[in-house]
Amino acid sequence: MEEKEVVSKNFIEQIIEKDLEEGVYDHITTRFPPEPNGYLHIGHAKSILLNYGLAKKYNGKFNMRFDDTNPTKEKVEFVEAIKNDIAWLGADWEDRLFFASDYFEDMYEAAVKLIKKGKAYVCDLSADEIREYRGTLTEPGRISPYRNRSVEENLKLFEDMKNGIYADGEKVLRAKIDMASPNINMRDPVIYRVAHMTHHNTGDKWCVYPMYDFAHPIEDAIEGVTHSICTLEFEDHRPLYDWVVRELEYPMPPKQIEFAKLYLTNVVTGKRYIKKLVEDGIVDGWDDPRLVSISALRRRGFTPESIRNFVELCGVSKANSSVDYAMLEYCIREDLKLKKSRVMAVLDPVKLVIDNYPQDMVEYLDADNNQENPELGSRKLPFGRELYIEREDFMEEPPKKYFRLFPGNEVRLMNAYFVKCTHCVKDENGKVIEVHCTYDPATKSGLGFTERKVKGTIHWVSAKEAIKAEVRLYENIIDEEKGKLNEDGTLNLNPNSLTVLKECFIEPSLAGAEAYDSFQFVRNGYFCVDSKDSQKEHLVFNRIVSLKSSFKIEK
Ligand code: ATP
Ligand code: MG
């Protein structure tokens, strides 16, 4: 039987392929159009990678466009941050970088064209009156008393608006469509407003600014965008989008396609909430590793590959839903598993003294960097009489099935020897400060010792050579099980979202670790050098993710 290759295509790909087949377009152009009014987050990453991926797949073009038509909220500082994030994700816009504000002249001309066609009019109703006249879902709107102004009068008034004769809100330009339309967006929407404001790009040149629903289709059409992909909340605006490109008679009108936003559980994405967390000092800026802005994910230690893979797994859909944060964790684990060295770091140290090991002797033991990937090579580990081990790897009175150190029990020290616990030493409060043991030289790792077996293997670092480091552990910033919001509308924050450990000991091979370097700390997870706070003399590591997860992907 002949095998057929089954390739499932998402609904956007199906639309594009049909358009290309039928010759609606002879190539495709997509775009990512952020407003430079904040930092990008994981949801934006989905949009970026979707648009960029489609352009690549169909040999088309990908435009990077700042949608900077609203002077009130936008700032130049965000432009650079956004460019940086998109480049990091691997979406290459080449020389196709655009600013919507460069089209203000075209947009103004487009508005004049509509007026001349009798399709737009200047209206003197106030914002409140316009709202009141607009009607509701069950009631049609009422016609503005200014709707039947002549073309000449409209041209004159619109020019006066542009020339700064009117105050903010005194007059607007509205599209003349249909006050009885069941779609409220079509009830003579405002397309231009007066706003005496300084724009970050055009300065004080303009005091009229286009509204989003008018500006966006024009931006797309000017750039030759074919498929203008946006999120579901714009579905009801599509008739207006189509109206604008039709009435302006663009030869190859773009089409709008909507998909569902990406939502993640247990995190915060809303700008308003994040801003408050930053201002209240609850998080350390927009790139705090507990957030899911792209800069925060980068700082935490996520890789572009892991995010690309995550977005791929999420797929493209028409129905809103939330994706489990654990899926993002799964993707980063999978990405780092074979790429990163597995090293030893003790996060909650207690001293282990090997009483029968020579006093000042140091041995260098061989350790594979990654047992599953020999290409990463090996390293030498200093070993001596005094080590640090995890406090939880010793118990004076162990419960059943505890196979680590307790008096009389023998364990394997990873990459080293078997050691047998003899006793411990406590301080005056009863806290264990030293664990004592003896070692058996015949059990050295790599020598093929088989006479006895032990059930537990623990990690360690040499007390003398280890480097002290700070380690930050994270939990979800919100625990959704208990509800995302409190009754008063504030975020229901997890008080344990950050744990700072200042007295950790890491093996000396990590001495030169630099910002964004990442490693597996055996048994403890994947860690990344913090790009903000880590210094040569004071290394700081962020836990990217622990090693285990309940999350499984069917392969
Ligand atoms: P937010 O309010 O969450 O910051 P936004 O829609 O105001 O988002 P824009 O800068 O206007 O941010 O968005 C740029 C592009 O990113 C738009 O095409 C938008 O549809 C898309 N986008 C925004 N949020 C998401 C999301 N959660 N999932 C997928 N795409 C998104
Ligand atoms: Mg927006």
Side-chain angles (χ1 to χ4, degrees):
M1 213 172 76
E2 202 180 309
E3 261 189 56
K4 264 196 189 158
E5 195 190 355
V6 184
V7 185
S8 69
K9 299 199 170 90
N10 68 46
F11 75 98
I12 301 180
E13 292 168 336
Q14 289 171 12
I15 295 172
I16 290 175
E17 291 189 10
K18 188 156 177 281
D19 284 344
L20 290 173
E21 254 165 53
E22 293 176 355
V24 179
Y25 304 110
D26 59 8
H27 74 282
I28 72 154
T29 301
T30 60
R31 88 283 174 264
F32 177 67
E35 241 189 295
N37 64 355
Y39 292 91
L40 299 183
H41 56 62
I42 184 84
H44 295 114
K46 174 162 186 172
S47 177
I48 293 161
L49 295 169
L50 173 63
N51 280 292
Y52 176 70
L54 289 167
K56 281 275 116 174
K57 177 164 182 179
Y58 295 102
N59 238 329
K61 294 176 186 147
F62 169 70
N63 291 0
M64 169 69 228
R65 180 208 309 150
F66 285 98
D67 199 347
D68 57 351
T69 54
N70 181 357
T72 45
K73 296 189 290 179
E74 292 151 10
K75 285 208 203 116
V76 186
E77 96 171 76
F78 294 122
V79 171
E80 288 312 310
I82 289 174
K83 276 159 68 176
N84 190 26
D85 287 346
I86 298 175
W88 179 77
L89 280 173
D92 183 1
W93 60 82
E94 295 167 14
D95 58 352
R96 306 186 65 78
L97 173 65
F98 304 104
F99 289 84
S101 56
D102 287 340
Y103 314 140
F104 280 156
E105 198 70 53
D106 306 82
M107 292 173 187
Y108 182 81
E109 288 308 320
V112 168
K113 178 168 180 161
L114 289 185
I115 295 174
K116 286 183 176 161
K117 288 177 78 173
K119 300 283 182 171
Y121 62 97
V122 173
C123 183
D124 300 3
L125 293 179
S126 68
D128 285 340
E129 287 166 329
I130 289 179
R131 203 170 305 122
E132 198 197 308
Y133 272 65
R134 193 184 292 137
T136 63
L137 284 175
T138 50
E139 269 172 65
R142 279 182 293 143
I143 289 188
S144 160
Y146 305 98
R147 198 177 202 256
N148 292 319
R149 279 176 162 154
S150 69
V151 168
E152 289 66 36
E153 190 183 3
N154 280 319
L155 285 173
K156 170 81 174 71
L157 291 173
F158 187 50
E159 194 174 353
D160 288 346
M161 279 168 67
K162 181 188 80 163
N163 289 335
I165 301 210
Y166 302 111
D168 294 4
E170 204 177 331
K171 282 187 169 41
V172 292
L173 185 72
R174 298 175 68 175
K176 194 189 249 186
I177 310 180
D178 178 7
M179 288 309 288
S181 171
N183 183 337
I184 293 182
N185 294 307
M186 299 299 271
R187 295 184 188 168
D188 292 9
V190 173
I191 58 174
Y192 253 95
R193 63 189 171 124
V194 177
H196 292 269
M197 273 184 293
T198 305
H199 185 277
H200 74 90
N201 180 22
T202 54
D204 293 324
K205 176 160 185 233
W206 295 93
C207 62
V208 284
Y209 290 96
M211 304 303 286
Y212 180 89
D213 281 341
F214 180 63
H216 207 84
I218 296 177
E219 294 158 24
D220 287 338
I222 289 175
E223 291 175 11
V225 166
T226 55
H227 299 84
S228 178
I229 298 166
C230 64
T231 42
L232 281 185
E233 70 273 23
F234 290 101
E235 198 162 19
D236 289 346
H237 297 238
R238 191 184 339 130
L240 180 52
Y241 185 101
D242 291 340
W243 184 91
V244 170
V245 295
R246 189 172 63 244
E247 291 301 337
L248 292 173
E249 299 162 48
Y250 289 109
M252 197 185 65
K255 63 168 71 165
Q256 175 181 305
I257 304 172
E258 310 86 18
F259 72 102
K261 273 194 174 180
L262 169 64
Y263 293 102
L264 264 190
T265 60
N266 302 315
V267 298
V268 193
T269 48
K271 277 174 204 155
R272 190 163 55 95
Y273 290 119
I274 296 179
K275 195 155 171 274
K276 181 105 177 39
L277 292 176
V278 173
E279 281 167 3
D280 294 351
I282 291 166
V283 296
D284 168 31
W286 286 81
D287 59 355
D288 185 288
R290 288 166 290 177
L291 299 174
V292 285
S293 60
I294 305 209
S295 53
L297 290 166
R298 181 168 56 231
R299 184 173 166 199
R300 175 95 172 242
F302 281 83
T303 58
E305 291 79 3
S306 65
I307 295 174
R308 288 202 289 265
N309 192 23
F310 171 70
V311 163
E312 189 80 17
L313 278 175
C314 290
V316 185
S317 136
K318 269 273 187 196
N320 278 322
S321 67
S322 269
V323 176
D324 195 334
Y325 183 81
M327 189 157 121
L328 185 59
E329 296 190 316
Y330 166 85
C331 292
I332 186 67
R333 272 191 208 100
E334 285 295 299
D335 187 38
L336 300 181
K337 199 160 74 181
L338 298 181
K339 288 186 190 162
K340 298 298 168 178
S341 290
R342 300 172 181 182
V343 300
M344 296 201 279
V346 174
L347 305 190
D348 182 16
V350 67
K351 208 165 239 185
L352 179 73
V353 182
I354 308 170
D355 290 308
N356 64 340
Y357 195 87
Q359 195 74 37
D360 290 317
M361 187 162 113
V362 182
E363 256 184 291
Y364 286 87
L365 306 174
D366 287 313
D368 289 334
N369 287 333
N370 186 322
Q371 294 80 348
E372 292 179 66
N373 180 7
E375 279 177 26
L376 292 186
S378 65
R379 66 192 187 285
K380 295 276 185 197
L381 289 172
F383 183 85
R385 189 169 190 270
E386 295 197 352
L387 311 175
Y388 287 114
I389 59 169
E390 298 286 354
R391 185 166 283 281
E392 63 167 30
D393 285 341
F394 169 78
M395 284 186 103
E396 200 174 13
E397 288 166 26
K400 272 204 174 119
K401 300 213 171 155
Y402 184 88
F403 300 121
R404 291 168 273 168
L405 282 175
F406 55 87
N409 193 42
E410 189 171 45
V411 302
R412 179 197 303 276
L413 291 177
M414 214 173 270
N415 300 303
Y417 298 94
F418 287 11
V419 289
K420 187 169 191 172
C421 183
T422 52
H423 64 286
C424 67
V425 178
K426 296 182 196 168
D427 67 10
E428 64 275 17
N429 301 317
K431 186 177 174 192
V432 174
I433 50 171
E434 277 180 11
V435 177
H436 284 253
C437 66
T438 57
Y439 87 118
D440 177 353
T443 60
K444 186 171 174 174
S445 171
L447 295 185
F449 179 81
T450 53
E451 280 157 45
R452 302 195 293 286
K453 283 209 172 349
V454 289
K455 281 197 167 147
T457 300
I458 65 172
H459 64 278
W460 52 274
V461 293
S462 164
K464 197 153 141 254
E465 281 85 7
I467 303 166
K468 201 196 253 186
E470 178 177 328
V471 169
R472 298 170 182 174
L473 306 179
Y474 302 102
E475 284 180 17
N476 290 333
I477 191 155
I478 285 189
D479 187 351
E480 268 191 14
E481 303 259 300
K482 298 186 197 120
K484 204 157 190 158
L485 297 181
N486 296 314
E487 271 173 19
D488 62 357
T490 56
L491 286 168
N492 185 9
L493 296 170
N494 171 6
N496 303 317
S497 61
L498 170 65
T499 305
V500 179
L501 304 172
K502 299 229 177 219
E503 300 266 325
C504 306
F505 289 98
I506 60 176
E507 57 170 77
S509 71
L510 298 185
E514 289 177 8
Y516 302 114
D517 285 350
S518 58
F519 308 88
Q520 183 187 123
F521 288 178
V522 293
R523 297 173 70 214
N524 281 318
Y526 291 97
F527 292 78
C528 176
V529 178
D530 189 69
S531 54
K532 235 178 181 173
D533 300 330
S534 191
Q535 286 160 11
K536 213 168 182 301
E537 302 307 317
H538 178 78
L539 291 173
V540 178
F541 291 87
N542 299 320
R543 176 146 74 185
I544 311 167
V545 66
S546 61
L547 292 180
K548 285 200 199 78
S549 156
S550 51
F551 189 81
K552 290 268 179 325
I553 294 261
E554 304 281 331
K555 281 203 181 161

